[in-house]
Amino acid sequence: MIRFEGVSYSYPDDRQVLNGIDLQIEKGTFTTIIGDNGSGKSTLVRHMNGLLTPSDGTVSVCGMGTFDPENLWEIRQMVGMVFQDPHSQAVGATVEEDVAFGPENLALKREEVRIRVSDSILDVGLEGFEEHLLMNLSGGQLQKTALAGVLAMKAEYLVFDEVTSMLDQDSRSQVLEIVLKLNRMGKTIVYVTHHMEEVLASDRVIVMEGGSVAIDGSPADVFRELYNSGHRIPPLMELVFRLQDSGILDRGVLPVNANSLMEGLCQSM
Amino acid sequence: MSIDVKGLCFSYGKGKNEVQVLKDITFSIDSNESVGIVGKVGCGKTTLIKHLNGLLMPDSGNVTVDGLPSSKKEVCKKVGILFQHPSKQLFCSTVFEDIAYGPTNFGVRGDELDSCVHEAIREVGLAEEILERSPFTLSGGEMRLVALAGVLSSFPDYIVLDEPTSGLSSSGKANLFRILDSLKNNGVGIVLVSHQLEDVLDVVDRLIYLDNGKIAFEGTPSEYLASMPSPVPQVTELMRGLKRSGIDVKDDIFSVDHAFEEIYAAWSEKKGVL
Amino acid sequence: MAEPLFSYVRGNSFLHNMDPRVKIISVMCLSILIFNISVLSHLLVLAVLFGMLTNIAGVSISVAIRSLRPMVIFFCFIFLIHLFFTDGSPIFSLPFSPTYEGLEKGTVVTGRFVLLILFGSLLTSTTRPALITSGIEHLLRPLPLGKLGTTSFEVATMMSLAIHFVPHLLWYVRQIKDAQMSRGLKYGHHPISGMLSLAIPALRGSMRMADDVALSMESRCYQGNYRTSLFEMKMAASDRFVCIFVVLGTALIIYA
């Protein structure tokens, strides 16, 4: 479990980005974090593996506090992180070299590194690209490489910081697909995104606003709350709520795509 | 006044490595309309817009802006381009310098330069305090607005935006479209390039769909929805599905309001019968 | 995207399978040799050696030649300097004429640089980037790097980062160039100021990219001390033989 207790964070120039966050990420869950630009999403998740440490309050991973540098080595093996820009997080020249970077740092046996690398590459569907140069890959393939890089660390918790925001639609859905698969395999996912549609896949949504948690709940509840308070939500969701409000559609269910909404409508009409 | 593209062909590479990216493209954009250019990634959208202000020259065919060939420097001033990934386009040490970059290249100096920059930053709705900051300390949304201000400060007659909504939150998107709308009302031609149909349908007068370097469709958004089998927005997909299953609704619509009215009407009718 | 210069070309030749340490040592020996040569015919011998090795490696010679392209202006420059500024018998009876001695000296000096780059590209095209760095890392181990506050692992990682960073930086520079040109900058007219206006943002951009990379490395437990290497290096008998042969050969040629 990742636990935030009263966490505040200010930049060296005193701009405060997080205000007293209390939060728990349970094992095995899939949490998405949304919020406007500048609401503190990235700052929040960078606390999860000790890249940032709170100015006030504590963050702990499985009981180990990130304030103690002695713990960081273990924490970072448990919490893997993938970042936004596909072009500036690669460390190796080829796919397999980059994926191997993490396990190499752990000073594992070469055979173990090999197994982890090939397993992770298989998990993200990049088999056949092992020896390709990263500079010849597309943004989507680069992000998959980065993903394999954290998988090779055998991290339990995977934190994705707007990993799809520089990708096109097709690669975006491929990456999300892989993330979902990893969650089914038992990994705990924390997924920061701008794309509201991606939120539907998760168990829990956290909406950040001005450095605090504004809403925290299931996608259906969160979307409902956003809709009720006049925020923009994906068009299909907006339609669902309006149909629910006028009694055409049942309130209990939340159709997530055009097909499931159509089935729902055909039943009630 | 218009941008006219006639018979534009363009290839990258030479000899056996040659890849033809654009094939016989012809269209025009008036100075007070907004046009969307959509298509899948790799269909040639970005290559196409680089022709509109002379960054690339066609292999054959020609591009003129208000009658001037695109090789003229004036064209570069007339057509402003906002590229994808704003954080990769800002290159000065303060926001002021970055916004002043374009006008300076076009010979604007002194007080006039100052007023250009201030007008541009007001236009995108950012506070003037931001001018003294480094662009790299800004959030992603602010960076995009600064990049937009950097294009607007040269007072272009046309502005081309490549994937302007990627990485923006929904309120960021709404803000951007508000700015574009006011620009259009002031007679600036808008070209919106996107791989996401939903983002442009709402805001453009006309739509060009590029497929594999060719124009596969050109017309109004509603014509598009009525005639193109795919891709269409989710709401349209829903309406088409409902129609197929025998519910009497229009299927060439994409807005939530429209769709709701249609479904509500169909539902009340059914209910009335019961 | 075009194949980048100095990149690895997969293969299974004798050169590909040679221990990277031996290859690095050999290239170092060859460079020493090249700079001790002042006769054109000796350079030709090395050129023939290069031709043979490329043939053995099964690497197309055009790949190697292509790696010379960015340096063409430099080559022309040093060649012309020597051609015109060496004392000797003039080729034409003009007041400022190239000399025969200049022609020979220019060819030798330029030829040295050309050969140096060609052998370098032979190393990079037959060795995986990771093996080059871990080869260098092994060779650095005996040095007292600890006194300088670093480790051979750190040096090797820095080198591999520096190498693979270049293409990403070029990608970034292209984006800035487009943005600047579409905002009215004409590169053709003022090449020097054009270069400067790119260099500074590129430098700043590379520093920010470096920050990002640092985050990603830190997240993956990078500590700068002992690391496993994905690829194993095995010094076979043939490798030892080549190594001894090259080192002794070089020493003999230089001191004989």
Side-chain angles (χ1 to χ4, degrees):
Chain A
M1 175 165 56
I2 303 180
R3 184 199 287 269
F4 282 66
E5 279 170 301
V7 172
S8 297
Y9 183 80
S10 318
Y11 282 121
D13 61 1
D14 272 352
R15 266 184 304 139
Q16 189 160 15
V17 260
L18 296 180
N19 309 312
I21 304 259
D22 289 301
L23 199 63
Q24 283 178 21
I25 306 284
E26 307 286 345
K27 226 170 167 172
T29 54
F30 186 152
T31 308
T32 44
I33 301 181
I34 57 174
D36 277 344
N37 305 89
S39 58
K41 307 184 293 286
S42 287
T43 314
L44 179 78
V45 296
R46 277 172 200 197
H47 279 82
M48 292 180 178
N49 70 346
L51 287 178
L52 294 176
T53 45
S55 327
D56 214 359
T58 56
V59 177
S60 62
V61 179
C62 298
M64 288 182 289
T66 59
F67 52 83
D68 186 353
E70 296 276 302
N71 289 339
L72 288 181
W73 169 262
E74 266 184 72
I75 287 177
R76 289 187 181 147
Q77 287 183 54
M78 281 193 287
V79 187
M81 206 169 275
V82 184
F83 302 89
Q84 178 179 23
D85 189 345
H87 282 273
S88 58
Q89 52 184 314
V91 189
T94 65
V95 172
E96 62 181 351
E97 283 176 28
D98 190 65
V99 175
F101 182 79
E104 282 178 344
N105 286 333
L106 302 180
L108 302 164
K109 287 217 174 65
R110 179 173 296 117
E111 262 323 293
E112 172 72 14
V113 175
R114 286 220 155 274
I115 293 168
R116 286 192 180 196
V117 168
S118 55
D119 285 354
S120 319
I121 288 179
L122 207 62
D123 278 337
V124 299
L126 275 183
E127 60 273 24
F129 284 87
E130 287 87 350
E131 299 194 355
H132 282 228
L133 287 167
L134 292 181
M135 64 186 96
N136 294 341
L137 300 187
S138 70
Q141 290 166 327
L142 282 174
Q143 281 308 56
K144 286 185 203 167
T145 307
L147 230 157
V150 296
L151 282 181
M153 303 280 295
K154 295 242 163 127
E156 287 293 318
Y157 297 86
L158 301 175
V159 180
F160 300 94
D161 188 5
E162 289 185 37
V163 286
T164 55
S165 77
M166 287 172 86
L167 305 185
D168 62 73
Q169 183 104 59
D170 286 351
S171 332
R172 204 154 72 207
S173 44
Q174 283 172 24
V175 168
L176 188 64
E177 199 95 331
I178 296 169
V179 173
L180 281 169
K181 188 178 96 185
L182 294 174
N183 183 233
R184 282 196 299 272
M185 284 160 55
K187 304 275 185 196
T188 313
I189 311 282
V190 177
Y191 192 90
V192 178
T193 181
H194 271 309
H195 297 280
M196 292 260 199
E197 287 81 359
E198 298 183 341
V199 169
L200 291 167
S202 61
D203 313 322
R204 175 187 181 191
V205 185
I206 292 171
V207 184
M208 293 286 293
E209 209 177 278
S212 311
V213 175
I215 315 173
D216 184 349
S218 70
D221 293 344
V222 169
F223 273 134
R224 175 51 98 169
E225 203 161 329
L226 286 173
Y227 170 71
N228 289 349
S229 57
H231 281 84
R232 268 172 74 118
I233 58 170
L236 203 68
M237 290 283 89
E238 194 184 329
L239 185 58
V240 166
F241 290 136
R242 287 179 66 171
L243 292 170
Q244 286 182 349
D245 288 350
S246 55
I248 302 178
L249 212 59
D250 270 347
R251 267 179 186 262
V253 283
L254 185 77
V256 290
N257 57 36
N259 261 335
S260 56
L261 176 54
M262 194 188 84
E263 280 163 24
L265 278 174
C266 287
Q267 268 171 22
S268 62
M269 286 170 80
Chain B
M1 292 306 203
S2 59
I3 300 181
D4 295 284
V5 177
K6 281 202 193 80
L8 166 58
C9 295
F10 184 79
S11 313
Y12 281 117
K14 284 196 188 93
K16 63 177 164 56
N17 294 328
E18 184 170 322
V19 184
Q20 197 173 15
V21 191
L22 298 172
K23 298 159 196 158
D24 195 20
I25 304 267
T26 301
F27 66 90
S28 65
I29 296 161
D30 282 339
S31 60
N32 53 7
E33 68 171 345
S34 61
V35 174
I37 299 179
V38 287
K40 288 208 188 78
V41 172
C43 70
K45 300 185 301 272
T46 303
T47 309
L48 175 61
I49 60 171
K50 283 186 181 170
H51 283 86
L52 301 183
N53 79 343
L55 277 180
L56 290 176
M57 291 295 156
D59 293 343
S60 65
N62 63 68
V63 178
T64 58
V65 177
D66 298 346
L68 293 165
S70 61
S71 52
K72 292 261 190 256
K73 190 171 179 175
E74 290 89 320
V75 166
C76 190
K77 187 180 178 310
K78 278 176 178 293
V79 183
I81 300 190
L82 181 67
F83 290 98
Q84 234 177 317
H85 310 321
S87 61
K88 304 264 156 23
Q89 281 172 62
L90 304 171
F91 43 79
C92 297
S93 23
T94 65
V95 171
F96 184 95
E97 282 172 53
D98 220 292
I99 299 177
Y101 186 85
T104 312
N105 278 328
F106 299 120
V108 179
R109 297 283 182 277
D111 287 348
E112 200 188 337
L113 181 65
D114 224 53
S115 69
C116 281
V117 173
H118 282 94
E119 189 161 329
I121 201 89
R122 264 198 304 279
E123 198 138 20
V124 298
L126 287 173
E128 301 206 350
E129 287 86 64
I130 216 172
L131 289 173
E132 299 312 315
R133 280 175 59 187
S134 157
F136 306 110
T137 61
L138 306 177
S139 73
E142 288 170 329
M143 277 195 197
R144 190 174 304 260
L145 291 177
V146 168
L148 177 61
V151 174
L152 294 180
S153 57
S154 310
F155 299 107
D157 299 322
Y158 305 87
I159 156 162
V160 183
L161 302 100
D162 194 2
E163 304 286 356
T165 56
S166 75
L168 277 189
S169 60
S170 47
S171 65
K173 277 185 199 172
N175 183 36
L176 179 72
F177 288 132
R178 206 162 39 235
I179 297 164
L180 294 183
D181 208 41
S182 98
L183 285 172
K184 193 182 120 185
N185 292 335
N186 290 328
V188 178
I190 309 271
V191 181
L192 274 177
V193 180
S194 180
H195 64 260
Q196 211 142 358
L197 206 53
E198 282 90 338
D199 280 351
V200 298
L201 272 177
D202 235 356
V203 287
V204 298
D205 304 324
R206 218 144 49 77
L207 200 65
I208 290 169
Y209 187 80
L210 271 191
D211 186 20
N212 204 7
K214 285 194 198 125
I215 294 186
F217 172 88
E218 192 184 350
T220 63
S222 52
E223 282 166 2
Y224 178 92
L225 294 177
S227 65
M228 286 291 277
S230 78
V232 294
Q234 279 191 312
V235 173
T236 314
E237 204 183 306
L238 169 75
M239 301 310 275
R240 286 183 180 179
L242 288 175
K243 194 166 185 176
R244 266 199 309 274
S245 21
I247 296 170
D248 180 29
V249 287
K250 271 201 222 151
D251 65 350
D252 59 343
I253 53 181
F254 64 92
S255 82
V256 173
D257 288 339
H258 256 126
F260 179 73
E261 282 165 24
E262 285 291 318
I263 295 173
Y264 191 79
W267 180 71
S268 326
E269 201 175 308
K270 268 244 166 88
K271 243 190 151 186
V273 173
L274 283 175
Chain C
M1 201 189 238
E3 271 297 302
L5 307 172
F6 290 109
S7 63
Y8 175 61
V9 181
R10 253 180 286 177
N12 202 20
S13 69
F14 177 65
L15 277 182
H16 279 89
N17 295 328
M18 198 191 272
D19 189 289
R21 286 166 289 188
V22 176
K23 280 188 270 189
I24 295 168
I25 292 174
S26 304
V27 168
M28 278 159 62
C29 288
L30 280 167
S31 345
I32 295 171
L33 263 186
I34 287 169
F35 276 91
N36 274 289
I37 281 174
S38 49
V39 192
L40 194 58
S41 58
H42 292 177
L43 273 184
L44 282 177
V45 172
L46 283 178
V48 170
L49 175 69
F50 169 75
M52 279 161 53
L53 289 176
T54 329
N55 196 20
I56 291 174
V59 177
S60 123
I61 206 141
S62 67
V63 172
I65 303 283
R66 227 157 37 101
S67 61
L68 295 172
R69 215 164 25 193
M71 303 290 282
V72 165
I73 293 175
F74 172 72
F75 293 148
C76 293
F77 182 72
I78 49 172
F79 179 73
L80 289 175
I81 292 258
H82 283 99
L83 185 62
F84 282 94
F85 292 96
T86 310
D87 290 330
S89 43
I91 298 176
F92 309 110
S93 48
L94 293 169
F96 192 67
S97 160
T99 60
Y100 286 106
E101 285 78 1
L103 184 63
E104 192 188 337
K105 200 169 171 201
T107 316
V108 171
V109 174
T110 319
R112 277 180 186 162
F113 282 107
V114 170
L115 275 176
L116 204 61
I117 292 182
L118 287 180
F119 279 113
S121 83
L122 190 60
L123 169 70
T124 54
S125 60
T126 58
T127 320
R128 294 168 187 288
L131 276 178
I132 296 183
T133 46
S134 79
I136 292 173
E137 189 269 310
H138 274 259
L139 291 173
L140 289 175
R141 273 187 196 176
L143 297 181
L145 290 171
K147 291 202 177 113
L148 299 172
T150 179
T151 62
S152 57
F153 293 99
E154 267 186 342
V155 175
T157 308
M158 272 192 286
M159 286 183 52
S160 74
L161 272 179
I163 294 168
H164 101 272
F165 219 52
V166 174
H168 291 289
L169 199 59
L170 289 179
W171 175 85
Y172 178 70
V173 166
R174 261 198 307 273
Q175 310 262 317
I176 297 182
K177 193 171 171 183
D178 275 349
Q180 289 185 337
M181 284 175 71
S182 70
R183 281 157 76 184
L185 189 69
K186 289 270 184 236
Y187 279 92
H189 293 182
H190 311 282
I192 301 291
S193 68
M195 206 97 102
L196 270 182
S197 67
L198 258 188
I200 295 165
L203 191 69
R204 216 182 277 137
S206 65
M207 295 211 261
R208 268 179 302 117
M209 277 172 95
D211 279 345
D212 285 0
V213 173
L215 278 183
S216 147
M217 289 170 66
E218 229 182 297
S219 291
R220 292 197 257 166
C221 291
Y222 176 70
Q223 295 196 317
N225 40 30
Y226 179 79
R227 309 177 63 233
T228 324
S229 167
L230 183 60
F231 301 101
E232 198 173 4
M233 287 187 287
K234 267 187 281 188
M235 189 77 91
S238 60
D239 288 322
R240 287 174 214 277
F241 177 73
V242 169
C243 192
I244 293 167
F245 177 77
V246 169
V247 172
L248 281 184
T250 309
L252 271 178
I253 293 172
I254 290 172
Y255 291 106

